[in-house]
Amino acid sequence: ILGALPPGRKLESMRALADELAVSLPVVREAVAELRSIGLVEVRHGIGVFVARRQKAARVLRAERRRATRREIHALRQGLEPLAAAAAARRPKSVRAHDVRLALYERDRERFAGDAERFTDADIELHQAILRASGNVLASAAWGMAARALWPDLLARARSLAADQRLDDLHRELVDAVEAGHETTARRAARLITAIEEHALQ
Protein backbone atom coordinates (compact mmCIF):
# COMPACT_ATOMS: atom_id res chain seq x y z
CA ILE A 1 0.00 0.00 0.00
CA LEU A 2 2.73 2.42 0.96
CA GLY A 3 4.68 1.17 -2.03
CA ALA A 4 2.70 3.65 -4.16
CA LEU A 5 4.22 6.52 -2.17
CA PRO A 6 7.94 7.19 -2.32
CA PRO A 7 9.80 7.23 1.00
CA GLY A 8 10.17 10.77 2.22
CA ARG A 9 7.07 12.12 0.46
CA LYS A 10 5.36 14.89 2.41
CA LEU A 11 1.67 14.31 3.16
CA GLU A 12 -1.11 16.86 3.33
CA SER A 13 -1.35 19.02 6.42
CA MET A 14 -3.33 17.64 9.36
CA ARG A 15 -5.87 20.43 8.97
CA ALA A 16 -6.36 19.54 5.28
CA LEU A 17 -6.81 15.87 6.20
CA ALA A 18 -9.33 16.80 8.90
CA ASP A 19 -11.31 18.93 6.43
CA GLU A 20 -11.22 16.21 3.78
CA LEU A 21 -12.47 13.49 6.15
CA ALA A 22 -14.89 15.81 7.96
CA VAL A 23 -13.41 14.92 11.34
CA SER A 24 -11.87 17.03 14.07
CA LEU A 25 -8.21 17.96 14.12
CA PRO A 26 -7.59 15.93 17.32
CA VAL A 27 -8.86 12.79 15.56
CA VAL A 28 -6.34 13.30 12.74
CA ARG A 29 -3.55 14.02 15.23
CA GLU A 30 -4.35 10.76 17.03
CA ALA A 31 -4.33 8.82 13.74
CA VAL A 32 -0.98 10.34 12.74
CA ALA A 33 0.44 9.54 16.17
CA GLU A 34 -0.66 5.91 15.75
CA LEU A 35 0.87 5.66 12.27
CA ARG A 36 4.05 7.22 13.61
CA SER A 37 4.16 4.71 16.48
CA ILE A 38 4.11 1.79 14.03
CA GLY A 39 6.71 3.34 11.78
CA LEU A 40 4.60 4.24 8.75
CA VAL A 41 5.15 7.99 8.92
CA GLU A 42 7.73 10.37 10.32
CA VAL A 43 6.73 13.67 11.89
CA ARG A 44 9.18 16.54 11.48
CA HIS A 45 8.04 19.27 13.81
CA GLY A 46 7.49 22.57 12.09
CA ILE A 47 7.84 20.92 8.67
CA GLY A 48 5.18 18.23 8.27
CA VAL A 49 4.39 14.52 8.10
CA PHE A 50 6.39 12.29 5.71
CA VAL A 51 6.20 8.70 4.48
CA ALA A 52 8.71 6.64 6.46
CA ARG A 53 11.41 4.47 4.92
CA ARG A 54 9.78 1.25 3.67
CA GLN A 55 12.02 -1.28 5.39
CA LYS A 56 11.56 0.25 8.81
CA ALA A 57 7.81 0.63 8.28
CA ALA A 58 7.39 -2.97 7.13
CA ARG A 59 9.40 -4.38 10.05
CA VAL A 60 7.53 -2.43 12.71
CA LEU A 61 4.21 -3.07 11.00
CA ARG A 62 4.72 -6.83 11.14
CA ALA A 63 5.45 -6.66 14.86
CA GLU A 64 2.43 -4.47 15.56
CA ARG A 65 0.14 -6.69 13.49
CA ARG A 66 1.13 -9.70 15.60
CA ARG A 67 0.09 -7.80 18.74
CA ALA A 68 -3.18 -6.40 17.38
CA THR A 69 -6.35 -8.25 18.25
CA ARG A 70 -9.08 -8.94 15.72
CA ARG A 71 -11.36 -6.57 17.65
CA GLU A 72 -8.82 -3.74 17.33
CA ILE A 73 -8.46 -4.35 13.61
CA HIS A 74 -12.23 -4.32 13.10
CA ALA A 75 -12.48 -1.13 15.13
CA LEU A 76 -9.93 0.41 12.77
CA ARG A 77 -11.99 -0.69 9.75
CA GLN A 78 -15.27 0.51 11.23
CA GLY A 79 -13.78 3.92 11.90
CA LEU A 80 -12.02 4.30 8.55
CA GLU A 81 -14.28 2.88 5.89
CA PRO A 82 -17.46 4.94 6.40
CA LEU A 83 -15.42 8.17 6.57
CA ALA A 84 -13.38 7.21 3.51
CA ALA A 85 -16.49 6.23 1.52
CA ALA A 86 -18.07 9.62 2.25
CA ALA A 87 -14.82 11.39 1.35
CA ALA A 88 -14.62 9.44 -1.94
CA ALA A 89 -18.20 10.52 -2.77
CA ARG A 90 -17.27 14.18 -2.15
CA ARG A 91 -14.40 14.18 -4.64
CA PRO A 92 -14.82 15.24 -8.29
CA LYS A 93 -16.39 12.43 -10.32
CA SER A 94 -13.47 12.29 -12.76
CA VAL A 95 -11.17 11.29 -9.89
CA ARG A 96 -13.30 8.99 -7.81
CA ALA A 97 -15.25 6.41 -9.76
CA HIS A 98 -13.38 4.55 -12.52
CA ASP A 99 -11.11 2.30 -10.42
CA VAL A 100 -13.85 1.63 -7.88
CA ARG A 101 -16.29 0.42 -10.56
CA LEU A 102 -13.61 -1.80 -12.14
CA ALA A 103 -12.83 -3.28 -8.72
CA LEU A 104 -16.53 -4.07 -8.21
CA TYR A 105 -16.65 -5.87 -11.59
CA GLU A 106 -13.62 -7.92 -10.56
CA ARG A 107 -15.21 -8.81 -7.22
CA ASP A 108 -18.38 -9.89 -9.04
CA ARG A 109 -16.39 -12.05 -11.44
CA GLU A 110 -14.45 -13.78 -8.67
CA ARG A 111 -17.62 -14.17 -6.60
CA PHE A 112 -18.98 -16.56 -9.20
CA ALA A 113 -15.66 -18.16 -10.20
CA GLY A 114 -15.39 -20.06 -6.90
CA ASP A 115 -11.71 -19.45 -6.11
CA ALA A 116 -11.61 -18.38 -2.44
CA GLU A 117 -8.19 -16.73 -2.59
CA ARG A 118 -8.98 -14.72 -5.71
CA PHE A 119 -12.34 -13.63 -4.30
CA THR A 120 -10.68 -12.51 -1.06
CA ASP A 121 -8.07 -10.53 -2.98
CA ALA A 122 -10.76 -8.94 -5.19
CA ASP A 123 -12.92 -8.03 -2.18
CA ILE A 124 -9.97 -6.41 -0.42
CA GLU A 125 -8.99 -4.57 -3.61
CA LEU A 126 -12.49 -3.08 -3.91
CA HIS A 127 -12.26 -1.66 -0.40
CA GLN A 128 -8.73 -0.44 -1.11
CA ALA A 129 -9.94 1.28 -4.29
CA ILE A 130 -12.52 3.17 -2.23
CA LEU A 131 -9.86 4.19 0.28
CA ARG A 132 -7.66 5.40 -2.59
CA ALA A 133 -10.63 7.26 -4.10
CA SER A 134 -10.98 9.15 -0.82
CA GLY A 135 -7.64 10.77 -1.60
CA ASN A 136 -6.39 10.19 1.94
CA VAL A 137 -3.07 8.35 1.94
CA LEU A 138 -3.11 7.84 5.71
CA ALA A 139 -6.49 6.12 5.60
CA SER A 140 -5.36 4.01 2.65
CA ALA A 141 -2.23 2.91 4.48
CA ALA A 142 -4.17 2.06 7.64
CA TRP A 143 -6.70 -0.01 5.66
CA GLY A 144 -3.81 -1.83 3.99
CA MET A 145 -2.51 -2.79 7.41
CA ALA A 146 -5.95 -4.02 8.51
CA ALA A 147 -6.52 -5.96 5.27
CA ARG A 148 -3.25 -7.86 5.51
CA ALA A 149 -4.02 -8.79 9.09
CA LEU A 150 -7.59 -9.90 8.30
CA TRP A 151 -6.75 -11.78 5.08
CA PRO A 152 -6.55 -15.28 6.65
CA ASP A 153 -9.93 -14.85 8.39
CA LEU A 154 -11.54 -13.42 5.26
CA LEU A 155 -10.14 -16.30 3.21
CA ALA A 156 -11.47 -18.90 5.66
CA ARG A 157 -14.99 -17.46 5.26
CA ALA A 158 -14.74 -16.46 1.61
CA ARG A 159 -17.42 -18.86 0.40
CA SER A 160 -20.04 -17.65 2.87
CA LEU A 161 -19.12 -14.00 2.23
CA ALA A 162 -19.38 -14.52 -1.53
CA ALA A 163 -22.78 -16.21 -1.14
CA ASP A 164 -24.22 -13.42 1.03
CA GLN A 165 -26.66 -11.58 -1.27
CA ARG A 166 -27.21 -8.71 1.16
CA LEU A 167 -23.45 -8.12 1.32
CA ASP A 168 -23.27 -8.16 -2.46
CA ASP A 169 -26.14 -5.65 -2.70
CA LEU A 170 -24.44 -3.36 -0.19
CA HIS A 171 -21.16 -3.41 -2.13
CA ARG A 172 -23.10 -2.40 -5.25
CA GLU A 173 -24.93 0.33 -3.30
CA LEU A 174 -21.61 1.60 -1.97
CA VAL A 175 -20.03 1.89 -5.42
CA ASP A 176 -23.17 3.48 -6.89
CA ALA A 177 -23.21 6.05 -4.08
CA VAL A 178 -19.53 6.91 -4.55
CA GLU A 179 -20.09 7.36 -8.30
CA ALA A 180 -23.20 9.49 -7.74
CA GLY A 181 -21.60 11.61 -5.03
CA HIS A 182 -24.08 10.57 -2.33
CA GLU A 183 -22.03 10.88 0.86
CA THR A 184 -24.67 9.72 3.33
CA THR A 185 -25.54 6.58 1.36
CA ALA A 186 -21.87 5.73 0.84
CA ARG A 187 -21.15 6.12 4.57
CA ARG A 188 -24.17 3.99 5.52
CA ALA A 189 -23.33 1.19 3.06
CA ALA A 190 -19.70 1.06 4.23
CA ARG A 191 -20.81 0.95 7.87
CA LEU A 192 -23.21 -1.94 7.21
CA ILE A 193 -20.62 -3.88 5.19
CA THR A 194 -18.05 -3.70 7.97
CA ALA A 195 -20.67 -4.70 10.57
CA ILE A 196 -21.82 -7.74 8.55
CA GLU A 197 -18.26 -8.86 7.83
CA GLU A 198 -17.25 -8.45 11.47
CA HIS A 199 -20.21 -10.61 12.53
CA ALA A 200 -19.30 -13.25 9.91
CA LEU A 201 -15.71 -13.41 11.16
CA GLN A 202 -16.63 -13.95 14.81
Side-chain angles (χ1 to χ4, degrees):
I1 304 307
L2 285 176
L5 299 172
R9 175 177 169 178
K10 185 177 180 181
L11 305 181
E12 295 178 66
S13 72
M14 292 191 197
R15 188 166 300 282
L17 292 171
D19 290 343
E20 186 175 325
L21 285 175
V23 297
S24 67
L25 195 53
V27 168
V28 173
R29 286 188 180 127
E30 185 177 336
V32 169
E34 182 65 23
L35 290 172
R36 181 185 186 190
S37 75
I38 61 175
L40 290 177
V41 298
E42 298 170 354
V43 177
R44 300 177 197 164
H45 295 288
I47 301 173
V49 180
F50 296 81
V51 177
R53 291 187 356 249
R54 287 185 188 137
Q55 279 192 329
K56 177 184 175 187
R59 186 173 60 249
V60 176
L61 183 56
R62 282 193 297 271
E64 286 297 318
R65 202 166 62 226
R66 284 194 297 271
R67 288 198 293 266
T69 67
R70 183 186 295 163
R71 180 171 294 177
E72 290 169 332
I73 293 165
H74 276 292
L76 176 66
R77 276 194 74 189
Q78 289 176 331
L80 279 177
E81 290 202 46
L83 289 172
R90 280 197 303 272
R91 297 189 82 201
K93 187 170 183 177
S94 60
V95 184
R96 69 177 179 251
H98 183 69
D99 288 345
V100 173
R101 179 60 66 180
L102 287 177
L104 178 64
Y105 288 152
E106 186 64 20
R107 183 187 186 275
D108 284 345
R109 191 172 76 83
E110 297 303 339
R111 180 173 176 248
F112 293 108
D115 184 309
E117 285 191 17
R118 291 176 65 133
F119 170 76
T120 301
D121 289 341
D123 185 55
I124 286 173
E125 176 53 31
L126 171 56
H127 291 272
Q128 186 63 63
I130 291 168
L131 268 292
R132 284 194 302 268
S134 77
N136 188 301
V137 293
L138 292 177
S140 184
W143 161 241
M145 176 182 70
R148 286 189 296 272
L150 288 174
W151 193 87
D153 287 340
L154 291 169
L155 176 63
R157 291 161 179 81
R159 295 194 194 288
S160 63
L161 293 173
D164 189 321
Q165 187 60 51
R166 182 172 182 225
L167 202 52
D168 187 56
D169 291 342
L170 283 168
H171 278 88
R172 199 166 308 283
E173 181 181 329
L174 173 58
V175 172
D176 289 345
V178 168
E179 281 190 338
H182 296 154
E183 294 178 45
T184 303
T185 304
R187 184 184 293 112
R188 173 190 167 276
R191 188 177 66 248
L192 289 171
I193 287 167
T194 57
I196 290 170
E197 290 188 352
E198 179 184 11
H199 181 73
L201 296 179
Q202 287 177 353

